[in-house]
Amino acid sequence: MDRTACIDLPAFPLQLLLLRHPDWREHPAAVVEADRPQGIVLWANERARALRVLPGMRYAAGLSLAPGLRAGVVPEDEIRRAEAALAERFRRFTPNVEPSAGEPGVFWLDARGLERLFPSLEDWARRLREEAAGAGFDASVVVGFKRFGAYALARAHRGVHVLKNAAEEREATRAVPLDRLALPPATRDALARLGIVTVGGFTDLPAGGIATRFGPEVHRLHRVASGDLEVPLQPERPDVPATRRLVLDHPEEDAGRLIAAIEGLLGPLLDEVGEKGKALAELTLGFRFERLGDHVESLKPASPTLDARLLMELVRLRLQAVRKLPDRVVEVLLAAGETEAAQRKQRLFAEAGGRDLAAANQALARARARLGDDAVVRARSRDAHLPEASFAWERLDALGDAAPRPVSEPRLVRRIHARPQPLPPRERHEPDGWMLRGLEQGPVVRVLGPYVVSGGWWERPAHRDYHFAETKDGEILWLFYDRGTRRWFLQGRVE
Amino acid sequence: MSTYAPLWCKSCFSFLEGASHPEELVEACAAQGIETMALTDRDGVYGVVEAHVKARETGVRLVLGSEVTIDDGSTLVLLATSRKGYANLCELITAGRRRSEKGVSRVGWREVYEHAEDLMALWGGDRGLLAGEADPFFVAHGLGEAFGDRLYAMAARHRRAEEPRREARLRQRAEKYRIPVAAAHEVLYHKPARRELQDVLTAIRHRVKLVDAGRLLKPNHEHALKPPRAFERLFEDDPAAVARTLEVASRCSFSLDGLRYRYPSERLPDGKTSADWLRELTSEGARGRYGGSVPEDVARQLEKELDLIVELDYCGYFLTMWEIVRFCRERGILCQGRGSAANSAVCYCLGITAVDPVRLGLLFERFLSRERAEPPDIDLDIEHDRREEVIQHVYAKYGRTHAAMVANLIRYRPRSAVRDVGKALGLAETALDRLSKLLPHYGDVAPEAFAEAGLDPEHPVHRDVLRLSSEVLDFPRHLSIHPGGFLLGHDPVSTLVPIENATMPDRTVIQWDKDMIEELGLFKVDLLGLGALNQLHKAFDLLERHHGKNLSMAAIPPDDIATFDMICRADTVGVFQIESRAQMAMLPRLKPRTYYDLVIEVSIVRPGPITGGMVHPYLKRRAGEEKVVYPHPTLEPVLAKTLGVPLFQEQVIRLAMVAADYTPGEADQLRRDMAAWRKTGRIERHHERLVRRMTAKGIEPEFAERVFEQIRGFGEYGFPESHAASFALIAYATAWMRRHYPDVFACSLLNAQPMGFYSPATIVEDAKRHGIEIQPVDVTVSDWDCTLEPGSRPRFAIRMGLRYVKGLGESEWKRIEAARGERPFASVADFVGRTRLDEGTVARLAEAGALSRFEPGRRGALWAAKGAARATRAAMDLDREEATPSFEGLGPVETIGWDYRTTGHSPRGHPLAPLREKLRARRLPDARTVSRLPHGRLVHYAGLVICRQRPGTASGVVFMTLEDETGFVNVVVWSRVYEKHKVLVKTTSFLGVTGKLEVQDGVTHLVAESFWTPKDLLEPAKVGSRDFH
């Protein structure tokens, strides 16, 4: 006999919001569509509802009713992540779990045959509810026979409910108020105006009339609710990345032999990735050491690939850097970071340029493999006034085509220190002049400035008086006096 | 003597850029010994009046100019050397503004050259082309030719590393084109501490958070006004450039004092002067007003007024007003002058106002006086729906060059300040919304509100929000348009002040608001829309069509006893000015029996008399319960009219002059300060002076304090007598209409909505209670407006118009009208098929019962309407569909509920009528019964909330009006009861209240002790409440 269960975590985004801000439970709180006064309230907690703050209202309107109304946005990806985590938990109770595509916090579960694994379906359902509670969520669980029936009853009732037979489910479903279902509000209201407020009343309407007046979506729902249309459970199949594991009978301390062992694993791993129609974008190497425990390294080829030779070259570069393994390796794990295989573009008419970008990127990948992921970076200009804040280093994954901008007039080059270097305080008496760089550079002969940079008062106030100082032997130094610390710093020099 | 003049100063009128008021910049100059400064706001002269007033006060010489934005994105600072130069500047900015969208200005170089006469040009700065990468060869020659020796290169320094390179280029090109170099720095605030606010304003202007603003912000705090020594140090390598700032300043001699303004002169009949023409029109009007023979006192008054008008050269202004009124009369547009113009017999005779000031003893000096030397102010009320016609007539008659509307500067107030500043500092908008709602609309940003909003007041960011939002208060945020103020000029207005586009199409607006206009003594014409005149016009039309009576305002019989009887009963729903809950409570006490009683009635329920504690003494004296005494014998002539109690604004000012020896100047200042009550402290400065002087004269200190309280209250919407006199005329006219033609009155009021104090539902219920039959909307007979049709009772029935079906617009009505004109509708499908209305509209018509001729059940009609709409859209044949299902019929509560939801009222019944039996079973009386219960009785009552009020004058007391099918119950809620039941009181439509009755002078109030929700009853229709706070 088909048994289908439905778990409903009512107002799921609101539950997530209150998990994020537990102190808000003591206040009226709501999930809003956007963080602005005109943001629509999507869900409101009991305290807010008691003050008549209702979904559909603008936050500003809610605030006039509940002056202490707390509100936050729960982004889609946060909901998806939480749903995925819950689905993972529920899979411990049944392999087939289907999260609802349109309603956050609703899951269908395959309950067939589970009474043989658990003392009873009631017990199974209760454990599911406890599982949700363990993650901090309130849930209702209904075990029924039809997908729609279980869903409608889970939305309508709190707690755990196991239906005995299909007739009982049908009867109970007919009485479920339509406003408990996630019908489009316009449809729900239109039906209510016709006096149709329960599932039973809805299914009693002629199907043709529904199709004409409410469109195919509602017609489909009508068919599902009437039992004219069966929708099978569509369990989510998590996409498990390809992995290969090798437990070494004899712990290995030689890097060369370890590389050979990895090579043995890599071929089958790439075959599996290839069979999925994908390519490898990242290779994760996991090592379990005898004493030091687990360690992970990751390697990125210049572009997604299934080329074992190329990947092994990167593995060698990374591991050959290690003269001697720090400990004996007892287990090796290879995991593939997969991506859709790119179609190779045919450059029929493209002329071969003087630069080979692919070769350059390959070289950069080798540098990363040899020296670590942060070895290849580039400076990105940033919109800020302080010199060290006006650029940032960012990882460079791949080189693009060069597009140099024309320069109308040549500029002096300023070299900048990664961090301004503190200079010794200036003497009150400098009989030989200001010896910025010691005796060998001579005293400062000319100073330009001050050029003032000040700001950031809302975060970290800064006030610097910048100068260009020329020493006797011609060096031009770029320095500043920091008014906060009352010290001189060297920012860089001018060439 | 100062060694330099700051020539490039931008105030907060460079919207969201400058971080100091113009006054602050001028004051800072005075404090630092700077003798001359130039105000050069971005593409405008918005701030010059404020700066001018302060400059006059401090002795700083003000140069007027502007930083003009060119269409290539660069800028040029222009300074006016003379009146001609100032006019050129205004016209240039006008050209740039008029072609651009609101808030932006762009002028072409050619336009700059054309307007160069008597302007100095300073070329440089961050966005000046002279220091740019490319050599501006052509522009340099163009400017050189246009400005000659009035062109300067502006070397601006702000201690930025990139500036020396730009300046080197500037100097090299200046030498090449032989342009002298003047030193400058861009002043954006008067002291360095304002730099933070300038950063915040920049973030607000660019709609980014401070942390993301990056290089949009200035890199340092070098934009403060510099003391002369600091400026000299900044340019110590080029003292000649510093000296040149004085040279430039000395060449600019124009001041706003030199603004000579002439009002447009009317086109006059041959050979007549404007004075002759005005005298002729006035005497002709007087003969019309007084039936041939003008009484001697009136003639004397007219002569006196005309002499003064001619002496002050104001004839053109009066002729203009006369012309506008004549235009309205010719077009059949109702209009009536209000405000101080009602003090003038000339205005009365010209037909501008409808009140005879001589008969009413109104003071002409309040309107116009030689001492005050200030232009008169005539406000004209025009029937609301047709005001735009009059506005466009003024534009057409005077041209857009000579007529423009006055601006309304939207300034930062506590709520907008914390919202914008907080957003710039990165606070969550929902938290800011919470905070701002705890702040008052005006006044200061209260620190306590932070804690109340759940924001730690000690958190550094919250401290910044508090500090900076307090600093930004009163800064202009953007320009809006005054509701009806026009500036007219004999010369083009754009030579006086730049004109720009308003958001509303076909509107142009000047860069000054009404206070600035007043400060400069310019003439303003106010054309204001008034719903009551609109209603009266509609009523006169209905009266003629259905009752065959051709009536006008002037022809309404005066002193009608039945009308005053009705007013005394407070039966005044919909009567102009005396319909509110508070007015209704006053009417049975004051018992107006004459027109002048109405003038007092209109004025007395106002914050001034209420907060001044003048209401009860007046009522007692009127009822003969208290002797009429005067605080001082000299005050008898001032207060005799109102039994020794000051009720009008004029009396308060006269009182200050007589009892506190205010000079005319001081009195005028008091009047201005009362008008500007929102500017903190302006009224307070009169407190000590007034009380001290009155007490010295032997007036009781307690009375003096009360007079001051009243002055304070008058600031908040107090009425002058002349104003009340004009309004009382309209109040009487609408009351007369209500008393004698209630069908016409209700129908016209429904067609003039939205206006007044009550919702259409209350007007409909009130009409029903007065025996008027209301017919529901029906697509086969209803028009757009409500109409009168023969009914089953002696009066006409009102057929509700389709304008009351929510979501149905005039375009949809036109389609219904056209289709119905071809042939009558036969069915729902025929109606939908021929009108092709969308599904939502058709569904609402079905729900409103407007399709009931075809389908009596509304649910069946709804099903049919939805089907027909979809079938029409998809060209489907509905006949093939299965049979119509049967739907449950609507009960009486639901029927009325559907009416309210779709049309906002119900002709079929009051929402509480179907529940009456159940309410009675619970011993809950109706409103009529409550009104007959004795004083002190404990009452439980349930009704629908139609109005909530929390006036500022009532110390937190809330007044509510509850309604049922028999009438109203007025409820008083003390603040402690309100706090306890706030949520219920604010949100519940069907509300139960328990309290004690207070009956006094025939007025019944229920003083609430608790509130509750009537349980186990079907929820009646939700009635919209008009809430005022």
mmCIF file of all heavy atoms in Angstrom, chain B residues 133-148:
data_model
loop_
_atom_site.group_PDB
_atom_site.id
_atom_site.type_symbol
_atom_site.label_atom_id
_atom_site.label_comp_id
_atom_site.label_asym_id
_atom_site.label_seq_id
_atom_site.Cartn_x
_atom_site.Cartn_y
_atom_site.Cartn_z
ATOM 1 N N GLU B 133 42.615 68.024 -19.346
ATOM 2 C CA GLU B 133 43.684 67.390 -20.139
ATOM 3 C C GLU B 133 43.843 68.079 -21.492
ATOM 4 O O GLU B 133 44.948 68.324 -21.946
ATOM 5 C CB GLU B 133 43.349 65.912 -20.358
ATOM 6 C CG GLU B 133 43.205 65.101 -19.086
ATOM 7 C CD GLU B 133 44.450 64.291 -18.768
ATOM 8 O OE1 GLU B 133 45.263 64.089 -19.662
ATOM 9 O OE2 GLU B 133 44.592 63.883 -17.600
ATOM 10 N N ALA B 134 42.689 68.388 -22.105
ATOM 11 C CA ALA B 134 42.756 68.975 -23.445
ATOM 12 C C ALA B 134 42.744 70.502 -23.352
ATOM 13 O O ALA B 134 42.108 71.076 -22.470
ATOM 14 C CB ALA B 134 41.570 68.507 -24.266
ATOM 15 N N ASP B 135 43.439 71.134 -24.268
ATOM 16 C CA ASP B 135 43.489 72.596 -24.294
ATOM 17 C C ASP B 135 42.157 73.127 -24.853
ATOM 18 O O ASP B 135 41.816 72.854 -26.006
ATOM 19 C CB ASP B 135 44.671 73.026 -25.195
ATOM 20 C CG ASP B 135 44.853 74.543 -25.169
ATOM 21 O OD1 ASP B 135 43.991 75.237 -24.594
ATOM 22 O OD2 ASP B 135 45.852 75.012 -25.741
ATOM 23 N N PRO B 136 41.415 73.918 -24.059
ATOM 24 C CA PRO B 136 40.101 74.390 -24.545
ATOM 25 C C PRO B 136 40.241 75.623 -25.425
ATOM 26 O O PRO B 136 39.761 76.712 -25.090
ATOM 27 C CB PRO B 136 39.364 74.697 -23.233
ATOM 28 C CG PRO B 136 40.439 75.106 -22.299
ATOM 29 C CD PRO B 136 41.689 74.386 -22.691
ATOM 30 N N PHE B 137 40.853 75.450 -26.531
ATOM 31 C CA PHE B 137 41.224 76.562 -27.412
ATOM 32 C C PHE B 137 40.026 77.430 -27.792
ATOM 33 O O PHE B 137 40.010 78.632 -27.588
ATOM 34 C CB PHE B 137 41.910 75.961 -28.654
ATOM 35 C CG PHE B 137 42.255 76.967 -29.693
ATOM 36 C CD1 PHE B 137 43.398 77.752 -29.579
ATOM 37 C CD2 PHE B 137 41.436 77.150 -30.806
ATOM 38 C CE1 PHE B 137 43.715 78.683 -30.539
ATOM 39 C CE2 PHE B 137 41.754 78.083 -31.768
ATOM 40 C CZ PHE B 137 42.893 78.852 -31.639
ATOM 41 N N PHE B 138 38.984 76.766 -28.326
ATOM 42 C CA PHE B 138 37.846 77.538 -28.837
ATOM 43 C C PHE B 138 37.076 78.214 -27.704
ATOM 44 O O PHE B 138 36.655 79.347 -27.811
ATOM 45 C CB PHE B 138 36.920 76.635 -29.660
ATOM 46 C CG PHE B 138 37.563 76.207 -30.949
ATOM 47 C CD1 PHE B 138 38.011 74.900 -31.117
ATOM 48 C CD2 PHE B 138 37.751 77.130 -31.975
ATOM 49 C CE1 PHE B 138 38.620 74.514 -32.299
ATOM 50 C CE2 PHE B 138 38.361 76.749 -33.161
ATOM 51 C CZ PHE B 138 38.799 75.440 -33.323
ATOM 52 N N VAL B 139 36.889 77.473 -26.606
ATOM 53 C CA VAL B 139 36.136 78.032 -25.475
ATOM 54 C C VAL B 139 36.899 79.223 -24.901
ATOM 55 O O VAL B 139 36.312 80.258 -24.581
ATOM 56 C CB VAL B 139 35.888 76.953 -24.391
ATOM 57 C CG1 VAL B 139 35.185 77.567 -23.190
ATOM 58 C CG2 VAL B 139 35.064 75.802 -24.955
ATOM 59 N N ALA B 140 38.221 79.090 -24.816
ATOM 60 C CA ALA B 140 39.027 80.175 -24.252
ATOM 61 C C ALA B 140 38.853 81.441 -25.080
ATOM 62 O O ALA B 140 38.683 82.540 -24.541
ATOM 63 C CB ALA B 140 40.492 79.764 -24.200
ATOM 64 N N HIS B 141 38.846 81.283 -26.385
ATOM 65 C CA HIS B 141 38.666 82.464 -27.241
ATOM 66 C C HIS B 141 37.254 83.014 -27.110
ATOM 67 O O HIS B 141 37.058 84.229 -27.048
ATOM 68 C CB HIS B 141 38.987 82.107 -28.693
ATOM 69 C CG HIS B 141 40.465 82.102 -28.935
ATOM 70 N ND1 HIS B 141 41.195 83.268 -29.063
ATOM 71 C CD2 HIS B 141 41.350 81.077 -29.022
ATOM 72 C CE1 HIS B 141 42.469 82.970 -29.221
ATOM 73 N NE2 HIS B 141 42.601 81.637 -29.203
ATOM 74 N N GLY B 142 36.277 82.111 -27.051
ATOM 75 C CA GLY B 142 34.872 82.535 -26.922
ATOM 76 C C GLY B 142 34.653 83.313 -25.632
ATOM 77 O O GLY B 142 34.051 84.391 -25.639
ATOM 78 N N LEU B 143 35.192 82.784 -24.539
ATOM 79 C CA LEU B 143 35.014 83.444 -23.242
ATOM 80 C C LEU B 143 35.741 84.786 -23.223
ATOM 81 O O LEU B 143 35.222 85.783 -22.716
ATOM 82 C CB LEU B 143 35.530 82.555 -22.105
ATOM 83 C CG LEU B 143 34.641 81.373 -21.720
ATOM 84 C CD1 LEU B 143 35.348 80.480 -20.690
ATOM 85 C CD2 LEU B 143 33.315 81.841 -21.129
ATOM 86 N N GLY B 144 36.953 84.778 -23.798
ATOM 87 C CA GLY B 144 37.745 86.002 -23.818
ATOM 88 C C GLY B 144 36.998 87.113 -24.548
ATOM 89 O O GLY B 144 36.965 88.264 -24.113
ATOM 90 N N GLU B 145 36.384 86.733 -25.662
ATOM 91 C CA GLU B 145 35.655 87.726 -26.449
ATOM 92 C C GLU B 145 34.406 88.212 -25.710
ATOM 93 O O GLU B 145 34.085 89.394 -25.720
ATOM 94 C CB GLU B 145 35.257 87.086 -27.775
ATOM 95 C CG GLU B 145 34.967 88.109 -28.847
ATOM 96 C CD GLU B 145 34.963 87.444 -30.205
ATOM 97 O OE1 GLU B 145 36.010 86.838 -30.565
ATOM 98 O OE2 GLU B 145 33.927 87.475 -30.850
ATOM 99 N N ALA B 146 33.727 87.275 -25.064
ATOM 100 C CA ALA B 146 32.457 87.638 -24.409
ATOM 101 C C ALA B 146 32.687 88.423 -23.117
ATOM 102 O O ALA B 146 31.976 89.380 -22.833
ATOM 103 C CB ALA B 146 31.643 86.378 -24.123
ATOM 104 N N PHE B 147 33.651 88.006 -22.328
ATOM 105 C CA PHE B 147 33.823 88.609 -20.999
ATOM 106 C C PHE B 147 34.928 89.664 -20.963
ATOM 107 O O PHE B 147 34.961 90.487 -20.039
ATOM 108 C CB PHE B 147 34.126 87.523 -19.953
ATOM 109 C CG PHE B 147 32.934 86.674 -19.614
ATOM 110 C CD1 PHE B 147 32.634 85.535 -20.331
ATOM 111 C CD2 PHE B 147 32.088 87.028 -18.572
ATOM 112 C CE1 PHE B 147 31.535 84.748 -20.024
ATOM 113 C CE2 PHE B 147 30.978 86.253 -18.253
ATOM 114 C CZ PHE B 147 30.706 85.113 -18.982
ATOM 115 N N GLY B 148 35.845 89.635 -21.907
ATOM 116 C CA GLY B 148 36.932 90.613 -21.911
ATOM 117 C C GLY B 148 37.713 90.553 -20.612
ATOM 118 O O GLY B 148 38.144 89.476 -20.173
#
